[in-house]
Amino acid sequence: MDGQALIRYGLAEQFAGPVLGTVAVALMLEARGNASPARLALEVDGWRAALGVTERSRPAVAERGSGFDSRQYPHVAASLRAAPTMLHSWIATAPFEELVSLVPPRPEEMAAVVGQAEQASALFATYQWLVQRNTEKDLSGWSTEALHKEYQYVAHGEAAAMPAALLDARLHEVDTIAREVADRAVRHTARPGDDEDWYRLLTGVHRQARRYLGDGRHAEAAALFEFLLTRRPTDARALNNLGFCLLPVDPARADRYFLQADEQSFSVRSLLLYNRMCCGDGSADMAHLLFATERHWASGLEGGPQPAVIWRRDASGSWEVCDTLDVRVDLAKVAAEYCTKLSRHDRVRVWLGRAEALIGPTTEDSGDT
């Protein structure tokens, strides 16, 4: 094990995410005819030059209807299509001091290293697997390469040359890993090799958006997922995350994106319903949302804990981003609150009992954190 290699390869997305996110936000805002905000901390022009994004975006066309329309942002997706590969080449070869400072390389320096990430692809995969198995409890957050390595390790004892102390823990049963691998193989319809590129892109953008939301920068966080949707306009995770970014500032618009994510078969319905109930609190849709939650509980509740990032009200009534160990518990609690507001007092105890039953011995409510 080497500390610099762990940072360079295992934590690559911690570097690629802020660069890609900052440039994407600048492009999205420019396409709307707005200047880049002063709070974009990186040297945007330097990174745009390094990534070959020199053409200025044309102003976006007016928003059509209630949903996302990728035609609003001409050139944005095409401009950054090669950016993830270029960034990973730079991360694999950049001087370490420039890497940790995110100093943009000159265009000729970037051109000289493009393609060298392929030589380091095995190291990226191995170190990222090591990082993910120690930081991501939920397999849905793992890359497909990491899933394959975990399956080879658990099922066949095959592992890279890592210290045994880092690999002793068996985090998941082999059947659980095999089911996730098979599920992805069935759902995946993109070009061969595109899955990992998309995962890296989604992961980096998600982390950068979380930073923006922590600073109350909802528009910039939303712009990141608008950028992703220029690449895949029907991606359910990106649609849900776009709605999530807008929830505290424009709940009606956020709910429209949650509905679109539902139409695209978003995988964790408890999370989707929780988000929609946060949007609908106090609206005319409360009874309808409560009925949908009752139906979900009766016929389609997920079989195990569902970790997630959610919004919760703090003591002052403001929204704050929180991690939850099981969004099903949070959904049951907000359903109980709905029952109170709708004067369905006989159902309040039912929903609170459902939340308590889920907490049980395997999980606990994470509280406001």
Side-chain angles (χ1 to χ4, degrees):
M1 287 294 295
D2 175 86
Q4 278 201 18
L6 181 62
I7 293 171
R8 185 184 295 275
Y9 301 114
L11 301 178
E13 301 315 321
Q14 302 287 354
F15 303 106
V19 172
L20 185 60
T22 299
V23 175
V25 166
L27 288 174
M28 300 299 287
L29 295 178
E30 182 180 275
R32 295 173 184 163
N34 298 332
S36 296
R39 286 188 295 174
L40 293 180
L42 297 186
E43 189 183 332
V44 179
D45 289 340
W47 277 111
R48 286 184 66 158
L51 297 173
V53 187
T54 55
E55 183 180 356
R56 313 309 290 185
S57 297
R58 295 196 301 266
V61 298
E63 184 174 351
R64 296 177 175 86
S66 61
F68 177 82
D69 186 343
S70 60
R71 291 173 295 175
Q72 293 175 258
Y73 305 105
H75 308 314
V76 173
S79 296
L80 291 178
R81 189 172 301 279
T85 299
M86 296 172 72
L87 283 171
H88 279 78
S89 295
W90 175 76
I91 291 167
T93 58
F96 191 70
E97 294 76 10
E98 294 182 12
L99 171 65
V100 296
S101 300
L102 293 179
V103 175
R106 294 191 300 274
E108 59 270 22
E109 292 174 338
M110 180 66 89
V113 302
V114 168
Q116 294 188 35
E118 294 180 5
Q119 302 171 15
S121 60
L123 286 174
F124 273 115
T126 298
Y127 278 100
Q128 288 175 357
W129 168 52
L130 182 62
V131 168
Q132 286 174 21
R133 79 187 314 271
N134 283 279
T135 60
E136 295 275 357
K137 295 181 181 179
D138 186 3
L139 287 176
S140 66
W142 288 32
S143 71
T144 303
E145 287 180 342
L147 279 173
H148 291 171
K149 288 184 176 295
E150 187 73 9
Y151 182 83
Q152 290 169 344
Y153 170 61
V154 174
H156 304 296
E158 300 175 8
M162 293 287 181
L166 297 174
L167 298 174
D168 279 347
R170 287 173 58 115
L171 305 178
H172 300 277
E173 295 299 322
V174 65
D175 288 347
T176 303
I177 304 168
R179 187 163 54 249
E180 179 69 21
V181 171
D183 191 41
R184 291 195 191 188
V186 169
R187 289 180 306 178
H188 182 51
T189 58
R191 300 184 307 275
D194 190 51
D195 186 59
E196 288 309 307
D197 177 66
W198 180 252
Y199 169 79
R200 286 194 290 263
L201 184 61
L202 191 65
T203 300
V205 165
H206 185 275
R207 287 175 175 156
Q208 184 66 10
R210 179 84 184 258
R211 296 187 187 99
Y212 283 153
L213 291 175
D215 292 336
R217 299 162 68 180
H218 302 89
E220 288 137 285
L224 290 175
F225 293 108
E226 289 176 341
F227 159 65
L228 286 181
L229 287 164
T230 65
R231 296 279 300 269
R232 291 189 181 181
T234 59
D235 187 85
R237 285 185 64 184
L239 287 164
N240 174 75
N241 290 344
L242 176 53
F244 183 82
C245 295
L246 296 170
L247 192 156
V249 293
D250 193 346
R253 186 177 173 212
D255 192 49
R256 293 196 290 268
Y257 290 119
F258 294 138
L259 284 171
Q260 289 184 57
D262 193 21
E263 292 170 359
Q264 299 301 326
S265 302
F266 184 73
S267 58
V268 185
R269 187 157 178 79
S270 289
L271 175 58
L272 198 67
L273 283 167
Y274 177 84
N275 287 337
R276 293 203 64 209
M277 293 184 89
C278 289
C279 292
D281 192 6
S283 74
D285 292 331
M286 289 180 65
H288 171 75
L289 288 169
L290 185 58
F291 175 77
T293 304
E294 289 273 14
R295 186 171 55 186
H296 170 62
W297 214 270
S299 61
L301 186 67
E302 299 85 358
Q306 301 295 315
V309 178
I310 63 173
W311 290 107
R312 283 203 191 105
R313 297 280 191 185
D314 62 17
S316 68
S318 300
W319 291 109
E320 63 176 350
V321 178
C322 301
D323 292 287
T324 180
L325 297 178
D326 191 353
V327 72
R328 301 175 306 165
V329 175
D330 300 274
L331 178 60
K333 289 181 176 180
V334 79
E337 295 175 6
Y338 263 45
C339 289
T340 298
K341 293 174 181 178
L342 293 170
S343 299
R344 299 180 183 179
H345 302 295
D346 58 319
R347 301 298 296 170
V348 174
R349 188 174 298 276
V350 172
W351 279 109
L352 292 178
R354 288 170 173 174
E356 292 171 3
L358 286 174
I359 292 172
T362 59
T363 185
E364 60 181 9
D365 183 20
S366 63
D368 289 344
T369 56

